[in-house]
Amino acid sequence: MAEPKIRVTSLKKDFGENHVLRGIDMEIQPGEVVCMIGPSGSGKSTFLRCLNRLEEATSGEILVDGESITGPKADVDRIRRHMGMVFQQFNLFPHYTVKQNLMWAPVELKLKTKEEAEKKALELLERVGLSDKVDAMPRSLSGGQQQRVAIARALCMDPDIMLFDEPTSALDPEMVSEVLDVMRELAEQGMTMVVVTHEMGFAHDVADRVVFFDQGIIQEQGTPEEVIDHPQHERTKSFLSKVL
């Protein structure tokens, strides 16, 4: 077995008296697609935000490529450069064109020259089906197009890992598939992906592993067939009966 891409041990996160994560252990292998499902408030998004240090863990450890990212000496900026994140809201810079949105971070962080960043941006916009929107402003795009730009912007940093926090939940239903198609393609190309989602069809078809969170713990995990088709835990069965 390869060294895990991500290893999480005894991860806890408290907000005051609210114990949101109650000791999570998880290993994610290189190229694995892990979909996290569960009710709102179960800790899925907090877990994701701990992975790239948008939230500080209360206790426990997270290793990425064998290196602790939770220790006091961890280089958070370097960690985040290798971890792309896509949120529910697209968070595009409204006053920049689509191409400028993609180029900004790699140029600002001096990871690419302007020429290199532009070449990469154009390649990625073609990959997500938006070559015709290079000079468009975000406000002129549909929600699905904006989210595809957000994915391309994260990929512009050449990440090893992509984190998705309910990337389709703010979209009109007919725009969901265009975003999921891009994510499917990423998965097929071997990107390590951790996805918080309510899209059970996507989780079933694309995930290597489905993890069911409830009340800050992992209640059940396994292949999509094991967790979605044949759940063992009563809480999982109850949740799925409402969303399928």
Side-chain angles (χ1 to χ4, degrees), residues 141-200:
L141 304 179
S142 71
Q145 289 170 333
Q146 289 190 58
Q147 193 61 296
R148 283 186 281 155
V149 172
I151 294 171
R153 181 176 63 176
L155 291 172
C156 226
M157 297 289 287
D158 298 318
D160 300 329
I161 300 164
M162 284 287 285
L163 309 177
F164 293 89
D165 190 5
E166 297 189 29
T168 58
S169 65
L171 300 179
D172 291 335
E174 65 267 26
M175 292 173 188
V176 167
S177 64
E178 62 191 61
V179 173
L180 295 181
D181 286 346
V182 171
M183 293 169 64
R184 272 194 179 87
E185 192 180 308
L186 273 181
E188 284 164 10
Q189 290 163 354
M191 176 67 77
T192 305
M193 293 166 57
V194 189
V195 185
V196 174
T197 187
H198 291 297
E199 300 291 339
M200 293 300 147

Side-chain angles (χ1 to χ4, degrees), residues 30-234:
E32 189 177 14
V33 178
V34 176
C35 282
M36 298 190 293
I37 65 171
S40 296
S42 58
K44 311 179 300 292
S45 293
T46 300
F47 175 79
L48 205 66
R49 292 168 70 86
C50 285
L51 290 183
N52 71 352
R53 293 279 302 266
L54 282 174
E55 296 287 358
E56 294 291 334
T58 303
S59 63
E61 185 172 46
I62 301 169
L63 299 176
V64 177
D65 290 324
E67 180 185 349
S68 174
I69 67 166
T70 36
K73 295 181 178 168
D75 182 346
V76 177
D77 291 333
R78 187 168 65 82
I79 293 154
R80 286 194 190 135
R81 285 207 286 271
H82 294 287
M83 252 189 231
M85 178 122 184
V86 178
F87 301 88
Q88 294 178 31
Q89 304 301 333
F90 325 120
N91 298 340
L92 300 176
F93 298 123
H95 52 294
Y96 284 175
T97 66
V98 165
K99 182 174 73 175
Q100 289 168 334
N101 262 280
L102 270 67
M103 290 174 60
W104 183 82
V107 171
E108 187 72 14
L109 296 169
K110 298 185 169 49
L111 301 175
K112 290 183 171 72
T113 65
K114 272 192 175 170
E115 292 72 23
E116 288 167 341
E118 181 173 25
K119 181 170 183 278
K120 181 79 173 179
L122 295 175
E123 283 170 9
L124 286 167
L125 288 171
E126 184 170 353
R127 188 167 160 190
V128 299
L130 292 171
S131 341
D132 57 333
K133 301 294 184 185
V134 169
D135 297 315
M137 302 304 282
R139 66 178 172 274
S140 71
L141 304 179
S142 71
Q145 289 170 333
Q146 289 190 58
Q147 193 61 296
R148 283 186 281 155
V149 172
I151 294 171
R153 181 176 63 176
L155 291 172
C156 226
M157 297 289 287
D158 298 318
D160 300 329
I161 300 164
M162 284 287 285
L163 309 177
F164 293 89
D165 190 5
E166 297 189 29
T168 58
S169 65
L171 300 179
D172 291 335
E174 65 267 26
M175 292 173 188
V176 167
S177 64
E178 62 191 61
V179 173
L180 295 181
D181 286 346
V182 171
M183 293 169 64
R184 272 194 179 87
E185 192 180 308
L186 273 181
E188 284 164 10
Q189 290 163 354
M191 176 67 77
T192 305
M193 293 166 57
V194 189
V195 185
V196 174
T197 187
H198 291 297
E199 300 291 339
M200 293 300 147
F202 175 83
H204 194 283
D205 296 347
V206 180
D208 297 300
R209 180 161 37 128
V210 175
V211 180
F212 175 66
F213 271 71
D214 188 48
Q215 298 184 337
I217 63 170
I218 293 173
Q219 294 280 10
E220 187 165 352
Q221 62 179 312
T223 65
E225 290 73 20
E226 287 167 342
V227 176
I228 297 175
D229 296 341
H230 305 289
Q232 300 301 305
H233 199 286
E234 287 307 318

